[in-house]
Amino acid sequence: MASTGTLFLIFAVTFIREGNAQNTFVNVNCKENVGQYGQQSLLECIVQTTSEASDIQIRVVTWRRQGADKPALVFHDGRIDPKSSFTFAEPSWNNKNMNVSVLIPNTRVADNGRYTCMVMTNSGDGKGEVNLKVTAKYSEPIISSIPEKITPGSNGELTCETHGGYPKGDIRWFVNDNTDWTKSSKMEVKGAQDGLLHLSSKLPLLHGSIFSKYTCIVYNATGGKEAEAVFIPDPEVEEHTAVYQVSGESVTLECSFTESPNSNDELIGMYLYHDAKTQEQVLYYHSSPGPEKISPRIRYSKRVEKRGSLKKHTITISNLTVEDSGIYRCVYKKNVQSEDIRNVYILVVSEKKPDGSEECLPLVLIIGVACVVSIMVTMIFIWLIVPKVKQWTSRRRIRNVPQQSNEYVYEIMTKNGLCPLGASD
């Protein structure tokens, strides 16, 4: 029965479209819409009639997505085909309701496309079209690295991945917050069974182009930013130089660029960074344009002194405080986009007490107490344990001496010309 009714509907719609091609009594006006994956989506169409038409009743409504084998909704003979996957947007819809909008209950990627709404009334027919754009938000990206530990100056590769989005978006890379580095990456797109997409972007890291921060940002198909992830290379702890100072004193850090020591043409400057709870600039060493000079930041103003040239120089920081503790990095710049970390220092500044001693004095006291306790334990061992060991050893020797018989003693005395008492003839 359903097949017969569908065939009849197709025949009737075709007949009316051909027979009433000039009919202007009925118009179907539709609005474009965007559907969110997994949510309800509305396909909105309204039947509008001219003043000449009166007592309009809808006889047939059919919704079909272009390219689909079957219609998504069919209304005829006063009822909705039970095989319809869509429903009318108004629950109490009847054939006198000119709002023929429909709802998609659970929007899928497969629902994306252009739809045609055909309407037959007792005063003529009309057709409207609407485009549904299905979208799905991409997941929070995850950055992985090969090798697992990447340090500044080493080769490697970063991979940024996100999934569950639609339509095709984009992954872009930024270094040090605002420099676009996407041109060095390669993105791959894979589709899942549900139609959603998986994006993967690989960024090779070459020696000499390692930055202190990498940001992976996911953009949707319209260019809107959806999510981001940050990767920070591990510091080269094994190559750090540890420096210990007391507050109020000064420290001298050496910054050197060993490549091409006789030329400054490829360098435009150098940053000295201080990393503690947050990263801050200590100063910037200008090389180009103009003469060489340093520009210290406010906290270090009048506390820093530079000696030497850009390729090899020293920076002295005076009047140290505990807040100056942290990691210091000499970062050379060959151009606006590249950075090269050359020297790394770990500075530990201890607080000086009013009597001139350092805050680390309790450590010396602990070591001294430990030494005294060790000496006392050794003396107790000598006084108590050693005599007991000697006494125990002597007893073992006495027990091991062999016992001689009386006959053996008598024989020895006779040989030596001695007579035992009571042995006269």
Side-chain angles (χ1 to χ4, degrees), residues 383-402:
W383 290 341
L384 300 179
I385 305 301
V386 173
K388 291 184 178 293
V389 173
K390 288 183 177 180
Q391 184 178 2
W392 178 76
T393 304
S394 299
R395 289 177 180 176
R396 286 186 57 86
R397 288 178 180 176
I398 293 174
R399 287 198 299 268
N400 292 335
V401 174

Side-chain angles (χ1 to χ4, degrees), residues 199-417:
L199 307 182
S200 175
S201 177
K202 296 182 182 295
L203 179 68
L205 307 181
L206 303 178
H207 179 73
S209 63
I210 302 298
F211 300 92
S212 59
K213 182 180 179 181
Y214 296 86
T215 303
C216 158
I217 301 181
V218 179
Y219 293 88
N220 57 33
T222 60
K225 177 180 175 180
E226 291 202 349
E228 68 176 52
V230 175
F231 179 86
I232 298 178
D234 296 323
E236 297 178 292
V237 178
E238 63 277 8
E239 297 184 5
H240 289 178
T241 301
V243 181
Y244 300 89
Q245 292 290 31
V246 180
S247 61
E249 296 183 351
S250 60
V251 64
T252 299
L253 309 177
E254 182 182 51
C255 297
S256 61
F257 192 90
T258 56
E259 296 178 3
S260 304
N262 298 324
S263 174
N264 288 339
D265 294 340
E266 72 275 17
L267 296 177
I268 63 174
M270 187 215 74
Y271 284 100
L272 179 62
Y273 289 107
H274 172 220
D275 294 322
K277 294 181 179 180
T278 58
Q279 177 178 281
E280 65 173 345
Q281 289 184 19
V282 178
L283 57 84
Y284 179 66
Y285 192 139
H286 300 263
S287 174
S288 176
E292 293 186 0
K293 65 176 182 178
I294 61 171
S295 298
R297 299 303 177 250
I298 297 177
R299 198 167 79 85
Y300 298 92
S301 180
K302 299 181 180 180
R303 288 207 297 144
V304 294
E305 180 182 1
K306 185 266 304 179
R307 290 185 179 181
S309 63
L310 177 62
K311 284 287 186 178
K312 187 174 182 180
H313 62 275
T314 59
I315 301 293
T316 300
I317 305 175
S318 57
N319 297 325
L320 293 173
T321 64
V322 175
E323 287 75 16
D324 293 325
S325 298
I327 299 176
Y328 289 80
R329 296 180 294 115
C330 303
V331 181
Y332 283 87
K333 295 187 70 65
K334 295 180 180 179
N335 51 61
V336 176
Q337 296 181 340
S338 68
E339 290 188 349
D340 198 335
I341 301 175
R342 288 291 165 161
N343 308 93
V344 182
Y345 299 90
I346 299 177
L347 175 62
V348 178
V349 181
S350 59
E351 188 70 43
K352 180 180 290 187
K353 292 184 176 181
D355 58 0
S357 61
E358 297 181 22
E359 191 66 33
C360 58
L361 183 60
L363 179 60
V364 178
L365 181 61
I366 293 173
I367 296 175
V369 172
C371 293
V372 172
V373 172
S374 177
I375 294 173
M376 292 179 64
V377 171
T378 304
M379 293 178 65
I380 292 174
F381 177 80
I382 295 174
W383 290 341
L384 300 179
I385 305 301
V386 173
K388 291 184 178 293
V389 173
K390 288 183 177 180
Q391 184 178 2
W392 178 76
T393 304
S394 299
R395 289 177 180 176
R396 286 186 57 86
R397 288 178 180 176
I398 293 174
R399 287 198 299 268
N400 292 335
V401 174
Q403 300 294 326
Q404 306 293 337
S405 63
N406 291 336
E407 289 80 3
Y408 178 78
V409 175
Y410 179 80
E411 182 182 352
I412 296 300
M413 293 176 65
T414 305
K415 288 182 180 180
N416 292 333

Side-chain angles (χ1 to χ4, degrees), residues 8-41:
F8 169 79
L9 174 64
I10 295 174
F11 173 80
V13 170
T14 304
F15 174 79
I16 293 177
R17 288 183 60 194
E18 294 178 353
N20 298 317
Q22 305 300 322
N23 193 322
T24 59
F25 295 125
V26 177
N27 293 315
V28 181
N29 295 327
C30 302
K31 294 182 180 180
E32 299 292 319
N33 196 12
V34 175
Q36 183 67 33
Y37 180 87
Q39 305 295 324
Q40 278 191 346
S41 295

